Every structure is written in C-alpha cells, then in structure tokens.
Amino acid sequence: MTASAPALDVVAIGNAIVDVLARSDDAFLAEHALTKGGMQLIDAAMAETLYADMPQAKEISGGSAANTLAGLAALGKKCGFIGQVNDDQLGAVFAHDVRALGIRFDTPVMHGDVPTARCLILVTPDAQRTMNTFLGASQFLPEAALDLDMIRSAGILYLEGYLWDPEQPRAAMRAAIDAARGAGRKVAFTLSDNFVIDRHRADFIDLIEQGLIDILFSNEGEIQSLAQVDDFETALACFAGKVPVLVSTCGERGAVAIVDGVRHEAPAAAVDRIIDTTGAGDLFAAGFLAAHIDGRSVEDALALGAAAAAEVISHWGARPEEDLGVIRDKLFA
C-alpha cells in the first residue's frame, strides 16, 4: 500500500523544558551549594526553592527535539511536537513559544504536583554557566497522550534519545514507531548522549537491527559508544549497512553521512566566534532534515546542517536567532 502524502513534514517527541537564565555572583552559588560551571539534576523541591531565590531571569524554551523543530519551522517546514508540561507558569511559557513558531502542540497538560521541566542556569560575571536541571512533567509522558493520527500524518517521526530513559515515554515512543511505520512513514532517531546510550545500548541496537530506524543522528563520541569501540571509522562501519541514512557530526572537522552505503562528507561552517555550543547537534539535524525533505543532495543536507549549527553556536541559547531561510538561500544561491 502506498502511503498518502504527509500533511506535516516532521512530528517530534521529546522533553519539554524551559531554560531559565539569570545573572548571579559566586556568593549566590556558595549560598545554595552549587558547583560552579557544573550541571546537576535536581528534584522538584530544590527546583522550586532555587527558582524562587534566583535573581530576575529570562525564560527560553528548550529541549533537544523541540530545538530541532524550531530550526525546521524556521526553514519553512510544517511540524508537530509531542511532549508534556504541567499546567503551570513555565508550562504556559513552553506552549506559547512552540506554538508561536507555527509548530502544532496539542499534548494534554499534566495536572498535579510535578512541575514543568526546567533548567535553571546561573551565569556568573566570568561567563561560567552553572546548570541545575529538573526533568519534571516531561518524564511522565504517557502513551495515552500520543496523537497517533498526527504521527501517521507526518512524513518523518523524530525521536529524542534523552526521553528513552523513563519508562512511560519509552513505551510511548515504541507505540509511536509502530504508528509511523504502519502508515509508511520514516523514523529518525537522535542518540542524544553517551550516558543514555550506556543505559539503553541494547534497546537502541535492537531498534537498528529490526530496521525500525531510517535516519540515525549522532556525534562521533555517541556512535563509538553505541558500537563500544574507540575508533570512529570502525563505529560507522558497524551501522552503515543497517540504517538507510546514518549521520554523524565531528565538531570542527565537519560531518559524515552514509546514505544507502555511499559515504558523503562536508566541512563545518565558519563561525566568527563560538559563544555557546548548546543546541549545535539539534540545529544540525534541523538543517539536514529540511534539505532531505526538499529532495536536495546529501552534500546539500550536510551543508545546511552545518550552517544551522554555526548560527546557533554564535549566540546564547539553543534556538536560532538569525533567519535560517536567508542563510539557506545564500548557501544554495
């Protein structure tokens, strides 16, 4: 049976997180026993206490898959997001931000005492960022919250590896894969983090071996971790024949894509000054997928991914600030 033309380009499932940034001094960090420059997971009580004590802050919606959709939407793609927030202030911020980008977001809010996920970021005068992450409501996304019709209507289902950790979202993503593949759609997966891979390597390899992943995104450290080898080329070879589109970024050395067994490479895009590498992989995926959806060459997809990543690392925050459509048009002029 031939799949119908997709109504949406990409539907993503991921963590719904709001980054809360505030300037502080070392005394504030010491008062709250925070390790300067580090990242720690915190519980709900500490999240509420720290948020209440923080100086005036700026809220910027984040989350890996949501960042990728922000890039895709900026490149003119029709997108939908599935992720869970609570019916609270930061949940309203996240919902507003994602919908303001033109992204469909209809996931029912969570009620009760588990707040919306947030990353509380304190920036000291020396530009060090101290991050405190509470995963909150996003980690309890149930299978019942999935909009299966929306998933079936999208050309690509994009899954965030970070969300494979908790039991409920993991079950939801398995159901989403079944729905997408049953409708003849493609499934893209980003490995997200070495720590996630260490905990779920067997699951990820099983998805690959079953042929359930059409597009796999990683960086060189993640693909080596998945393969449990120390050599990048060996790691690529482990999976190149098992995934139709295998993409791996290599920092300043650019990126590699192996598509239907054929290898393609592209350099990193030039950046005048690197300010914040948060979101680089997310925006690379956005650029690559946008070009892929448009039917452009693999080289073009790698180039647009690199350009989108270069834009986001040139400023604070993991969402694009420049017009990615203009960047794309100049790149392909």
Side-chain angles (χ1 to χ4, degrees):
M1 184 180 71
T2 303
S4 60
L8 296 174
D9 294 304
V10 179
V11 165
I13 302 178
N15 280 309
I17 295 180
V18 177
D19 294 337
V20 182
L21 297 100
R23 298 191 180 278
S24 76
D25 54 22
D26 290 346
F28 184 90
L29 301 185
E31 178 187 348
H32 292 83
L34 304 177
T35 302
K36 185 174 180 177
M39 194 286 283
Q40 65 172 337
L41 293 176
I42 59 175
D43 61 18
M46 183 172 180
E48 293 295 334
T49 298
L50 188 58
Y51 183 56
D53 290 351
M54 284 173 70
Q56 182 176 352
K58 179 180 181 181
E59 288 83 18
I60 305 173
S61 293
S64 175
N67 293 337
T68 295
L69 290 189
L72 280 161
L75 289 164
K77 300 307 164 199
K78 295 175 291 183
C79 302
F81 179 71
I82 296 172
Q84 185 163 256
V85 298
N86 200 320
D87 185 18
D88 56 17
Q89 176 192 357
L90 293 183
V93 168
F94 183 91
H96 171 270
D97 287 354
V98 73
R99 289 171 182 151
L101 296 170
I103 297 167
R104 182 176 163 187
F105 177 49
D106 304 322
T107 310
V109 298
M110 181 180 190
H111 298 281
D113 57 0
V114 181
T116 295
R118 75 282 310 266
C119 183
L120 307 178
I121 304 170
L122 295 153
V123 184
T124 41
D126 57 3
Q128 286 268 18
R129 305 176 93 208
T130 301
M131 295 182 286
N132 307 274
T133 304
F134 170 62
L135 294 172
S138 67
Q139 298 289 285
F140 297 95
L141 176 74
E143 183 178 339
L146 296 180
D147 184 336
L148 294 177
D149 288 337
M150 183 170 74
I151 290 168
R152 295 184 187 105
S153 78
I156 297 172
L157 170 68
Y158 182 85
L159 302 175
E160 176 185 324
Y162 283 122
L163 204 54
W164 201 264
D165 246 357
E167 181 179 352
Q168 284 181 280
R170 186 164 63 247
M173 286 194 284
R174 288 190 182 278
I177 290 171
D178 289 344
R181 298 200 70 86
R185 308 307 189 187
K186 293 181 179 179
V187 176
F189 195 96
T190 177
L191 291 173
S192 292
D193 186 274
N194 286 1
F195 294 109
V196 176
I197 295 166
D198 287 342
R199 289 190 288 270
H200 301 289
R201 182 178 290 106
D203 271 0
F204 294 166
I205 290 176
D206 188 53
L207 292 173
I208 292 168
E209 294 286 354
Q210 290 186 61
L212 297 179
I213 296 176
D214 301 286
I215 305 170
L216 181 66
F217 288 100
S218 69
N219 62 34
E220 58 183 329
E222 291 161 0
I223 199 70
Q224 288 172 201
S225 176
L226 188 66
Q228 293 185 285
V229 298
D230 294 327
D231 180 72
F232 179 55
E233 295 299 331
T234 303
L236 287 178
C238 287
F239 303 108
K242 298 175 181 179
V243 180
V245 180
L246 173 62
V247 185
S248 191
T249 57
C250 307
E252 69 277 3
R253 292 186 286 109
V256 175
I258 301 177
V259 179
D260 296 327
V262 179
R263 183 188 182 106
H264 308 262
E265 297 184 23
V271 183
D272 290 336
R273 184 182 176 205
I274 298 175
I275 301 297
D276 178 10
T277 58
T278 306
D282 303 334
L283 269 294
F284 182 94
F288 186 96
L289 286 173
H292 178 78
I293 291 164
D294 288 340
R296 302 194 72 98
S297 68
V298 180
E299 285 77 14
D300 281 353
L302 289 169
L304 186 54
E311 189 283 331
V312 83
I313 66 176
S314 66
H315 57 75
W316 291 114
R319 299 278 174 95
E321 292 182 355
E322 292 185 45
D323 189 330
L324 294 186
V326 171
I327 292 173
R328 174 199 57 209
D329 294 344
K330 287 181 179 177
L331 186 66
F332 298 145

